[in-house]
Amino acid sequence: MSDETIGIVGAGIVGLATAREIALSRPGTRVVVFEKEREVSLHQTGHNSGVVHAGIYYTPGSLKADLTVRGVALLRAYCEDRGLPYREIGKLVVAVREDELGRMNALYDRARNNHVPDLRRVSREEIREIEPNAGGVAALYSPRTAITDYPAIARAFAEDVVGSGGEVRTGFPVTGVREVPDGIEVASGATGTPGAEGPTRVRVDRLILCAGLHSDTVAGLARDRRDPRIVPFRGEYMLLRPERTDLVRGLIYPVPDPSYPFLGVHFTPRVDGSVEVGPNAVLALAREGYTRTRISPKDLLGLAAYPGVWRMAARHWRTGIREYRGSFSAAAFMRDAGLYVPGVGVEDVVRGGAGVRAQALDRDGTLVDDFRIHRVGRVTAVRNAPSPAATASMAIAEHIAEAAFGRA
C-alpha cells in the first residue's frame, strides 16, 4: 500500500493513461491530474486521426516499436471492455513507383522484426482486390490496423482515475514547479484560462509531466535539461465529400521517406464515417496554431533563437516548400493524394480540420523520432511522445510509471 500523492501535468491521452495506470496498480496512491484547459484531450489527442498503428514503421528495439506492439493489445482489450469503437479496417502501404520497392521491402523486414501480425506483400492485382480504386505497383497490407476514437478513450481514462479516488483538475495551468521538503510544489497562477481558479499551490510527492505541445517549457519549470525543444508542425486535412467516401474501404498510406518523421498524405476513414485526406506537415506559427492565422510572437521568438531550428531548415527546406505549397493550394495537395487513388481531385473534397504535432528537436537539428523520457529527482518528464503515442498510450503509461518509481 502507498499513501503518496502523484501529480500529473497534462490531461491528454498519455497523461490520463499514466494517471489511470498508477491509480490502479498502486493501491492507496492518490493521483491528481492538472490540466490548463476546461476539458480533457483538447489538443493532440482531440485532433488525432484515430488510427491504431500496428507497428510497421518503427526501428526494431526502439521504445516506439516495443511499446506500440504491447499498446495495441492493451488498447484493443480496453475498447472491448468499455464498449468503445475499435474497427480493424486494414491498411495498404502503397508503392506508386518502381523505385519505391526497395524502401517498401525494407519496411516489410522492419515490420516483421516488430512482429506486426498478418502483414503481407501484395501485387498490383491484389491491391485492386482490397481497394478497387487504389493505384500503385505493389503494397504492404496490414489487415489488423484499426481505427478508434481517442478522445472517447481519454474521457474513459479520466473516469477510471476519478472512480479510483483520483482527481482531474481542469482550469489549472501549471506556472511553477519547485522542490519542497519531501515533495514537489505545483503552482498555478490560473490566469487567462476560462473557468480557472485563483492562484493555487498543491504539494505532491512525485510529479509526472505529460504536457505535449508545452512539454519543454513545463520541463524547464522543473529544471530539466533545455533540449530537446518542441517545434509545432500543423497537419492540415481535406475531407472526402459524403457522396465520395466509398472511394476507399480502409487506410491507404504512402511508403514513407525514412529521413523525415512524417508519413505523407494518406486516406483515413474515421469511426464517424467520414474520410480524411492528409495531412501535410507545415511549421506552425504558434504551439497551438491550428490555423494559418494563429501566430504567437513568443513562440516564434523561441523558435528563431534555437539553433536546431535553423539546422533543421537547412536540411529539409525543399520538403518544407513542397508542404507549404499543398497548404495554400488544394490542387497541389490533391495531386499527391491522386497518386494513391487515381482520379480523386479537388472537386471530391472540402477543407477539413487540422492538428498540431509536438515534434521534439535536438540542438543539432535532428527531429527526435523515438519516445524520450527524462527523470530529475522526483519529477519525470515526457519530452517526446509523437505518433504512435495514442496507440501505445497504455504501454507508455506502464513505462512512465516504472520510470517515475525508479525501475526504468
Side-chain angles (χ1 to χ4, degrees), residues 28-299:
T29 301
R30 180 171 179 267
V31 178
V32 182
V33 180
F34 304 109
E35 168 55 48
K36 73 182 181 71
E37 303 292 356
R38 67 189 182 279
E39 300 175 20
V40 305
S41 73
L42 286 187
H43 290 290
Q44 290 187 104
T45 305
H47 294 83
N48 193 288
S49 65
V51 178
V52 182
H53 293 281
I56 294 173
Y57 307 103
Y58 318 123
T59 302
S62 66
L63 273 178
K64 268 190 178 183
D66 294 343
L67 297 180
T68 298
V69 172
R70 174 159 176 75
V72 169
L74 293 172
L75 193 71
R76 183 193 304 114
Y78 185 80
C79 288
E80 290 174 355
D81 180 65
R82 295 297 297 265
L84 295 168
Y86 189 96
R87 301 174 192 165
E88 292 183 345
I89 62 171
K91 174 163 72 174
L92 283 171
V93 181
V94 178
V96 295
R97 302 186 308 272
E98 296 286 340
D99 62 6
E100 293 181 323
L101 293 177
R103 281 193 281 135
M104 188 195 82
N105 289 327
L107 193 64
Y108 176 79
D109 292 338
R110 172 176 286 196
R112 290 296 297 269
N113 285 331
N114 289 340
H115 308 289
V116 174
D118 302 328
L119 184 75
R120 69 179 193 267
R121 296 185 182 95
V122 295
S123 66
R124 186 194 305 264
E125 293 71 28
E126 289 172 301
I127 290 174
R128 307 300 183 273
E129 293 173 7
I130 297 165
E131 290 283 356
N133 298 302
V137 297
L140 304 180
Y141 182 51
S142 170
R144 301 287 292 278
T145 298
I147 56 174
T148 190
D149 183 341
Y150 286 117
I153 292 170
R155 292 191 294 270
F157 286 167
E159 292 170 3
D160 293 342
V161 171
V162 174
S164 299
E167 180 182 2
V168 179
R169 185 175 295 193
T170 56
F172 194 105
V174 172
T175 56
V177 175
R178 71 183 183 98
E179 291 189 28
V180 295
D182 298 320
I184 299 290
E185 186 179 79
V186 182
S188 175
T191 58
T193 302
E197 302 172 0
T200 305
R201 298 180 186 275
V202 178
R203 182 201 166 279
V204 297
D205 294 285
R206 302 173 196 263
L207 185 66
I208 299 171
L209 309 179
C210 301
L213 289 162
H214 301 276
S215 60
D216 53 348
T217 56
V218 175
L221 298 175
R223 296 179 174 81
D224 189 16
R225 68 191 77 167
R226 292 175 62 82
D227 299 326
R229 300 286 183 87
I230 291 299
V231 177
F233 281 92
R234 185 174 61 254
E236 301 160 330
Y237 289 89
M238 297 288 185
L239 284 172
L240 287 181
R241 294 182 180 276
E243 65 272 19
R244 300 293 279 163
T245 55
D246 59 355
L247 280 171
V248 299
R249 296 173 175 175
L251 300 145
I252 303 175
Y253 277 56
V255 175
D257 179 348
S259 68
Y260 202 57
F262 305 103
L263 295 177
V265 170
H266 45 270
F267 290 79
T268 307
R270 303 293 301 266
V271 295
D272 64 4
S274 63
V275 177
E276 290 181 331
V277 185
N280 57 2
V282 298
L283 188 66
L285 304 182
R287 288 181 188 250
E288 298 171 13
Y290 298 107
T291 64
R292 288 196 290 266
T293 57
R294 177 72 183 274
I295 299 172
S296 165
K298 178 181 177 182
D299 291 343

Side-chain angles (χ1 to χ4, degrees), residues 286-349:
R287 288 181 188 250
E288 298 171 13
Y290 298 107
T291 64
R292 288 196 290 266
T293 57
R294 177 72 183 274
I295 299 172
S296 165
K298 178 181 177 182
D299 291 343
L300 280 178
L301 287 172
L303 290 174
Y306 188 54
V309 171
W310 299 102
R311 291 167 182 152
M312 175 193 68
R315 195 173 299 166
H316 296 295
W317 65 271
R318 289 183 181 85
T319 302
I321 290 173
R322 186 177 70 243
E323 296 290 329
Y324 269 107
R325 186 181 299 123
S327 177
F328 286 92
S329 167
F333 192 105
M334 293 307 296
R335 271 197 297 274
D336 287 343
L339 295 173
Y340 301 93
V341 179
V344 70
V346 174
E347 67 280 3
D348 299 308
V349 296

